Amino acid sequence: MSDIQFWTFFFIILTFGLYIFIAWRSRVKETKEFYVASQGVPTIANGAAVAADWMSAASFIGMAGLIAFLGSDGSVYLMGWTGGYVLLALLLAPYLRKWGKFTVPEFVGDRYSESVRIVAAVAAIVVSFTYVVGQMNGGGIVFSRFLGLNLTWGVIVAAAIIFFYAVLGGMKGITYTQVAQYTVLIIAYLIPAVAVAQQTTGIPVPQISYGKILAELDSLSTEFGLHEFTQAFAGRDGGQIDVFLVTASLMLGTAGLPHVIIRFYTTKTVRGARYSAFWALFFISLLYLTAPAVGAFTKLNLLQGVQGATVDQLPAWIETWGATGLVTVADGVDTIETVSNNAASGADLIVNNDILVLASPEIGGLPAPIIGLMAAGGMAAAMSTAAGLLLVISSAASHDLYFRVFKKEGASESQQMLVGRVAMAAAIVIAIFAGINPPAFVAQVVAFAFGLAASTFFPILILGIFWKRANGVGATAGMLTGLVFTATYMIYTLEVFGTGSNDHILGISPEGIGAVGALVNFIVTIVVSKLTAPPSHEVQEMVESIRYPQQRKVGADV
C-alpha cells in the first residue's frame, strides 16, 4: 500500500465513521423528522448544511477544473451558483417557510391543484436524478484513483455508503451529517490551496496571490494550443450571449432546486429561513472565492510540468491518473506540445476536467497526508449533496405521489417511511448505472439539472407567490412546456441515449438553455392563466397571507 492510499484510507475511514455515527444517533421514526427534521434546526447549523448540500462534487471536484480550461468564462459558475442564493433569500425562502409544508410539490399542490402537484413531483424526481448522477460519478472518481478501484466499483461503494446514512437518519440525520461534511470539505479544499499558493508565489492567500501568475499562465496556455486564461468570452463557443444565458440559467436553477428549497423548511422560524440563506452564502463563499485560484495554480503547475517533456519524462501523477482512464497521452507522441480537456481535439495530452482539483496536491508536489485529505473532502462534497437529492426523490415519490395519488385513504407513519426508503433505494440503483457513464463532465451534468430546475420550478414558484391570478391550468402548461423544451434541447445537443448532434442553435449551450426554458414557462403560464378561470377566493387570500407578515404579539418571533 502506497503512502497516498494509506492516508486516503485513514481520512475516509475517519470521516465516514463520523457520518455514520451521526446518522445512527439521529435515526428517525416519524415522517416530520424524516422530511423536515421536525423544523427544529438552528440557523447557523442549517446554513452550514445548506452550504454542504449545495457544494456538491460539481463545486468541489468539477468547478475549478472547468475554470482552468474555460478561463475567465468559468466565472459563469461562480456568479450563477452564488447569485441564485440572493434570489432564493429574497423571493422564495421566507415565503415557502411561512407556508410550512414538507416539500416543494406540496406547496405547488396547495397553491394550484393536485394535477400540478403530480407534475411538480415528477419534475422534482427528474431534476434531482440528473443532479445525483454527477455526485455518483464524482464519488466514483475519488475511489477509483485513491483506493485502486475501477470507476464502476467506485460508484457502487460511494452509492452504498450514501444510501446507508440517508435512509437511516432522513433529514434530521442528513442535516447534522452535512454540517460535519462541510467542515471536512472546506478544510480539505483550503489547506492544499494555501500550500500551493505559498509554494508558487510566497503569499499564502490564494484568493489574491494567483493574480501574480496570470501573465505566465496566459503565455503557457497559448504555447500548448489553448486560449489565454484571462481572455473574455473565448472559453464558450456561443460567446457573450451564451455566458449570459448560462449565468442566468444557473441563478434561476439555484433558486428553484427542490433539494435546496426543502432545507429552508427545517428552520424554527421564518426569520431563521432568511438568516440561513445569509450563513449559507458566507460558508459557500469560502470555497467559491478560492476556486479560481485553484484552477489557475493547478493549470500552471500542469503546463510547467509537461513543458518540453518527452513521454518518458512526464510527471508521475500522469501515470497514476492515467490508470483511471481520465488522463491519456496520444499514441506515437514523443514530446508533449498540445494539451486539452477534449478527447476529440487530437491533443498530445488529454486531461479530464474532473481530476484537476483532486490531483492538484500531486501536481503541486504536496505530501501524501494532504492528498488523502483532499480525497476525503471530495467524497464529503459528493455525499452531502447526494443525500439531500435522494431525500427529495424519496419525498416526491412517497409523500407527493404514492400517498396523494394512489393511497388517498391514508397511511400509517411506518408505511410512509417504508415507501420513502424504498424510493431512495430504487433511485440510487438507477443513479449507479448513470453515474458510471455520465453524459458530460461532473459540473456540466449538474448544470443540466439547474437548467431543468430553472425551466420548471422557478417560474411557477415566483408566480405562485407574487401573482394571485396564476392558476392550476396555467402552471401545468407552463411546467410541462418548460421541462419538455429544455430536456429536448439538451438531448439534441448531447450524446445522450445514442443521439445528439452537438450543434448549438444560435450558439446556446445545453447549460444555458434553462434560462430560455424559464422564459417560455413564464409566458405559457401567464397566457394560459389569463385565458382560463382564476383561482378560488380562498386560494387568493392564502397567497395574500404569505406575502405579508401577520400582526405580531409582543415578544413573538416570525
Side-chain angles (χ1 to χ4, degrees):
M1 178 183 293
S2 67
D3 287 346
I4 291 176
Q5 285 184 320
F6 170 79
W7 284 106
T8 301
F9 269 114
F10 174 79
F11 282 115
I12 285 184
I13 291 172
L14 181 66
T15 55
F16 281 22
L18 175 62
Y19 307 151
I20 292 171
F21 173 75
I22 293 173
W24 177 259
R25 289 294 303 269
S26 305
R27 58 191 185 278
V28 297
K29 297 180 179 179
E30 297 179 357
T31 52
K32 189 172 184 179
E33 287 183 313
F34 190 79
Y35 292 128
V36 293
S38 298
Q39 295 182 326
V41 179
T43 301
I44 296 180
N46 198 54
V50 170
D53 205 357
W54 171 248
M55 290 192 296
S56 63
S59 294
F60 190 99
I61 297 175
M63 184 169 62
L66 280 174
I67 291 173
F69 283 102
L70 289 175
S72 63
D73 288 352
S75 62
V76 297
Y77 296 97
L78 303 174
M79 294 185 295
W81 282 339
T82 53
Y85 263 94
V86 178
L87 298 179
L88 186 60
L90 294 177
L91 301 179
L92 294 177
Y95 305 109
L96 294 176
R97 173 61 184 85
K98 188 176 180 182
W99 199 281
K101 300 297 183 179
F102 283 2
T103 67
V104 173
E106 192 168 20
F107 163 78
V108 170
D110 288 353
R111 168 59 181 87
Y112 294 109
S113 67
E114 284 300 307
S115 61
V116 186
R117 179 202 296 272
I118 295 172
V119 175
V122 172
I125 292 171
V126 171
V127 170
S128 299
F129 178 75
T130 304
Y131 204 155
V132 85
V133 166
Q135 312 317 306
M136 293 297 103
N137 184 245
I141 290 172
V142 174
F143 278 128
S144 65
R145 162 60 186 94
F146 295 108
L147 298 183
L149 301 174
N150 61 38
L151 184 61
T152 299
W153 278 107
V155 171
I156 292 172
V157 172
I161 295 170
I162 293 166
F163 174 70
F164 177 80
Y165 76 77
V167 164
L168 193 65
M171 178 60 81
K172 184 179 178 182
I174 286 172
T175 296
Y176 293 105
T177 301
Q178 285 173 336
V179 174
Q181 287 167 334
Y182 174 78
T183 305
V184 171
L185 73 87
I186 199 64
I187 291 173
Y189 203 84
L190 292 179
I191 287 179
V194 170
V196 171
Q198 172 65 34
Q199 178 178 280
T200 307
T201 67
I203 302 174
V205 186
Q207 296 86 348
I208 60 174
S209 61
Y210 80 100
K212 297 181 65 175
I213 67 165
L214 293 182
E216 182 181 1
L217 181 56
D218 283 344
S219 176
L220 276 174
S221 295
T222 55
E223 179 181 333
F224 282 94
L226 301 165
H227 65 80
E228 292 184 350
F229 186 85
T230 58
Q231 183 180 352
F233 311 123
R236 306 199 69 88
D237 294 338
Q240 189 171 2
I241 293 177
D242 191 46
V243 167
F244 170 79
L245 288 176
V246 173
T247 304
S249 181
L250 295 176
M251 287 182 66
L252 301 182
T254 298
L257 275 177
H259 83 283
V260 174
I261 292 174
I262 197 174
R263 291 236 54 98
F264 295 98
Y265 291 141
T266 66
T267 59
K268 296 178 180 180
T269 64
V270 175
R271 179 180 297 172
R274 293 182 187 273
Y275 280 104
S276 287
F278 165 78
W279 282 110
L281 269 175
F282 170 76
F283 291 129
I284 290 168
S285 69
L286 295 179
L287 189 145
Y288 273 46
L289 292 176
T290 310
V294 173
F297 282 126
T298 305
K299 185 178 182 182
L300 178 69
N301 288 330
L302 186 162
L303 297 180
Q304 285 178 336
V306 302
Q307 187 179 26
T310 63
V311 173
D312 295 335
Q313 297 171 331
L314 291 175
W317 69 266
I318 290 181
E319 181 179 353
T320 54
W321 276 98
T324 68
L326 300 174
V327 176
T328 56
V329 178
D331 293 335
V333 171
D334 293 324
T335 302
I336 302 298
E337 297 179 351
T338 54
V339 177
S340 177
N341 64 333
N342 183 1
S345 65
D348 298 334
L349 177 65
I350 305 297
V351 181
N352 188 294
N353 286 339
D354 295 335
I355 68 109
L356 284 187
V357 171
L358 295 174
S360 61
E362 294 174 86
I363 296 172
L366 298 182
I370 294 181
I371 297 172
L373 181 62
M374 177 64 82
M379 281 308 306
M383 292 169 64
S384 61
T385 301
L389 293 166
L390 289 173
L391 192 65
V392 169
I393 294 171
S394 169
S395 61
S398 61
H399 186 71
D400 295 306
L401 288 178
Y402 185 76
F403 292 110
R404 291 283 184 167
V405 178
F406 302 107
K407 199 171 178 62
K408 296 182 179 180
E409 68 273 13
S412 66
E413 292 281 333
S414 60
Q415 286 178 313
Q416 294 188 53
M417 295 285 287
L418 176 61
V419 172
R421 285 165 171 160
V422 170
M424 269 193 188
I428 208 161
V429 169
I430 300 172
I432 287 172
F433 288 100
I436 293 170
N437 296 292
F441 297 121
V442 171
Q444 288 177 305
V445 174
V446 169
F448 304 153
F450 281 77
L452 293 172
S455 63
T456 53
F457 286 108
F458 183 77
I460 64 162
L461 291 175
I462 289 295
L463 292 174
I465 293 170
F466 295 100
W467 190 44
K468 295 186 292 184
R469 185 63 176 76
N471 63 22
V473 179
T476 301
M479 285 193 74
L480 288 175
T481 305
L483 177 62
V484 172
F485 171 83
T486 304
T488 300
Y489 187 84
M490 288 179 177
I491 293 172
Y492 169 74
T493 54
L494 293 166
E495 296 294 339
V496 180
F497 308 128
T499 182
S501 67
N502 292 313
D503 293 330
H504 295 175
I505 300 174
L506 301 178
I508 301 173
S509 68
E511 299 100 310
I513 195 63
V516 181
L519 179 61
V520 171
N521 187 337
F522 269 117
I523 293 172
V524 170
T525 302
I526 291 171
V527 170
V528 174
S529 294
K530 282 285 191 180
L531 295 176
T532 52
S536 67
H537 180 68
E538 291 76 13
V539 169
Q540 294 190 48
E541 283 189 338
M542 189 163 51
V543 173
E544 193 81 12
S545 70
I546 69 166
R547 290 214 309 269
Y548 301 102
Q550 297 174 348
Q551 188 172 1
R552 293 173 55 191
K553 297 179 181 179
V554 176
D557 197 2
V558 294

